[in-house]
């Protein structure tokens, strides 16, 4: 088993916590059931969905982000850097292990939400919404880990919690565009028409994959594992293709403008996030002069 995943499970779980969370959830659901006047299915599904968001999107996301920043604050990060674990092993170990308790409670909430939702809605709609809820949890947790890894160089108290504020800014900035693009029952994208829920599910799957990629590459940078620089251009191209697909006409100029904007934003973000030391640029110049393009 992944040693980082196992270590995070030891930190997150105990016999008391394992037994306490189901009892608390059962008490809440029983109170909702008693308070329901006629049909308890709708309030139970709503309460379970709300608790899923609190446990997975809230507690699980904060736990995943803290798994990185607490290591740096407690000065135990160097010990992990000296381990033999590869970047992806370390990434999914922290991601899955630190948020495991939140997912434990979220799974219990889904066991209540799904049957009660199926009593009112079609099975396809319920399963798609449940998949979106799970993907949203993975997306938020991966994104916060990636942001915290990028902010790891500063040792101030603000920077240790700055990832949460950066995550909120990203969500506020991106949610407006997503909600505006998903207006109506059907979505036109690159000349094709899609159902709104299907398109939202596919978009969230793309965003989740990008967040996982960002967390993995950020972890590789922290662990000083050299990687070929393909991820940043690939994410820029993916963002350009996604946003340009909503253009009504003259897509070629839109692709050019959007691509230039996305590449400029990502370039300036990289310049501000990365240390710009003179020896680093000297190494770049020397390797370029000797045609060491891979390095």
């Amino acid at each position: 088993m992944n040693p980082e995943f196992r270590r995070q499970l030891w930190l997150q779980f105990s016999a008391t916590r394992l037994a306490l969370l189901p009892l608390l959830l059962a008490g809440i659901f029983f109170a909702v059931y008693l308070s329901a006047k006629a049909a308890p299915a709708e309030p139970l599904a709503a309460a379970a969905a709300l608790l899923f968001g609190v446990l997975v999107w809230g507690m699980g996301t904060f736990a995943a982000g803290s798994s990185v920043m607490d290591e740096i604050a407690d000065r135990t990060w160097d010990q992990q850097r000296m381990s033999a674990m590869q970047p992806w092993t370390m990434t999914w170990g922290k991601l899955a292990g630190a948020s495991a308790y939140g997912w434990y409670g979220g799974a219990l909430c889904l066991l209540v939400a799904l049957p009660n939702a199926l009593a009112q809605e079609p099975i396809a709609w319920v399963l798609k919404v449940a998949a979106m809820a799970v993907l949203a949890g993975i997306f938020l947790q991966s994104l916060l880990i990636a942001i915290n890894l990028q902010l790891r160089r500063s040792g101030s108290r603000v920077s240790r919690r700055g990832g949460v504020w950066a995550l909120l800014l990203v969500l506020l900035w991106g949610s407006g565009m997503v909600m505006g693009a998903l207006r109506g029952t059907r979505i036109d994208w690159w000349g094709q028409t899609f159902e709104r829920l299907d398109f939202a599910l596919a978009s969230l799957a793309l965003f989740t994959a990008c967040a996982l990629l960002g967390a993995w590459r950020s972890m590789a940078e922290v662990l000083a594992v050299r990687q070929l620089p393909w991820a940043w251009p690939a994410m820029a191209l993916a963002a350009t293709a996604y946003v340009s697909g909503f253009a009504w006409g003259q897509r070629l100029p839109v692709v050019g403008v959007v691509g230039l904007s996305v590449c400029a934003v990502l370039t300036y973000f990289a310049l501000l996030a990365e240390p710009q030391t003179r020896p680093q640029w000297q190494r770049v110049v020397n390797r370029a002069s000797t045609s060491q393009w891979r390095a």
Side-chain angles (χ1 to χ4, degrees):
M1 182 184 290
N2 185 333
E4 179 61 24
F5 177 67
R6 183 171 53 190
R7 188 179 75 90
Q8 292 293 336
L9 291 182
W10 287 342
L11 294 175
Q12 294 293 324
F13 286 94
S14 65
T16 302
R17 298 190 78 194
L18 277 172
L20 183 61
L21 185 57
L23 293 177
L24 289 175
L25 293 176
I28 294 174
F29 294 141
F30 186 67
V32 172
Y33 177 81
L34 292 179
S35 62
K37 296 181 179 180
E42 183 176 355
L44 280 174
L50 177 62
L51 289 173
F52 178 89
V54 172
L55 291 170
V56 175
W57 301 347
M59 188 175 70
T61 301
F62 284 117
S66 298
S67 67
V68 173
M69 301 311 289
D70 289 347
E71 295 282 355
I72 300 173
D74 297 337
R75 302 184 184 278
T76 58
W77 184 251
D78 290 337
Q79 299 176 7
Q80 292 197 327
R81 291 186 61 185
M82 298 298 293
S83 66
M85 280 187 290
Q86 294 299 311
W88 176 243
T89 304
M90 180 74 76
T91 301
W92 82 257
K94 286 188 175 297
L95 177 63
S99 61
Y101 193 71
W103 285 108
Y104 169 58
L108 297 176
C109 292
L110 285 179
L111 290 177
V112 176
L114 290 179
N116 288 281
L118 288 174
Q120 308 170 75
E121 301 290 345
I123 183 172
W125 186 88
V126 173
L127 293 179
K128 290 177 183 178
V129 172
M132 289 181 63
V134 173
L135 286 174
I138 301 174
F139 167 72
L140 292 173
Q141 294 162 14
S142 304
L143 184 60
L144 186 56
I145 285 180
I147 292 174
N148 281 341
L149 287 172
Q150 291 297 322
L151 296 176
R152 77 194 185 281
R153 294 182 179 85
S154 178
S156 64
R157 182 178 301 177
V158 175
S159 66
R160 287 200 297 267
R161 300 305 174 192
V164 176
W165 297 107
L167 176 64
L168 292 177
L169 289 176
V170 170
L171 294 179
L172 289 175
W173 176 73
S175 60
M177 294 193 304
V178 173
M179 294 301 294
L182 296 182
R183 288 182 300 178
T185 58
R186 304 183 71 84
I187 305 298
D188 292 326
W189 189 73
W190 286 109
Q192 303 294 323
T193 302
F194 302 91
E195 293 291 339
R196 181 175 59 178
L197 188 60
D198 295 337
F199 188 82
L201 178 59
S203 299
L204 190 55
L206 174 64
F207 300 155
T208 303
C210 291
L212 286 170
L213 176 63
W216 166 50
R217 297 290 293 202
S218 299
M219 186 67 73
E221 180 186 0
V222 171
L223 298 179
V225 177
R226 184 173 295 176
Q227 305 281 341
L228 290 177
W230 58 267
W232 207 251
M235 292 182 68
L237 291 175
T240 300
Y242 181 82
V243 177
S244 301
F246 295 103
W248 292 100
Q250 297 182 346
R251 288 192 175 89
L252 188 59
V254 172
V255 170
V257 173
V258 172
L260 179 62
S261 302
V262 170
C263 292
V265 170
L266 292 181
T267 299
Y268 279 103
F269 176 79
L271 289 174
L272 293 174
E274 297 293 330
Q276 306 299 321
T277 60
R278 182 176 179 180
Q280 183 182 21
W281 285 106
Q282 287 178 338
R283 286 196 298 270
V284 173
V285 173
N286 292 334
R287 287 166 179 169
S289 62
T290 55
S291 300
Q292 298 180 17
W293 302 117
R294 179 182 177 89

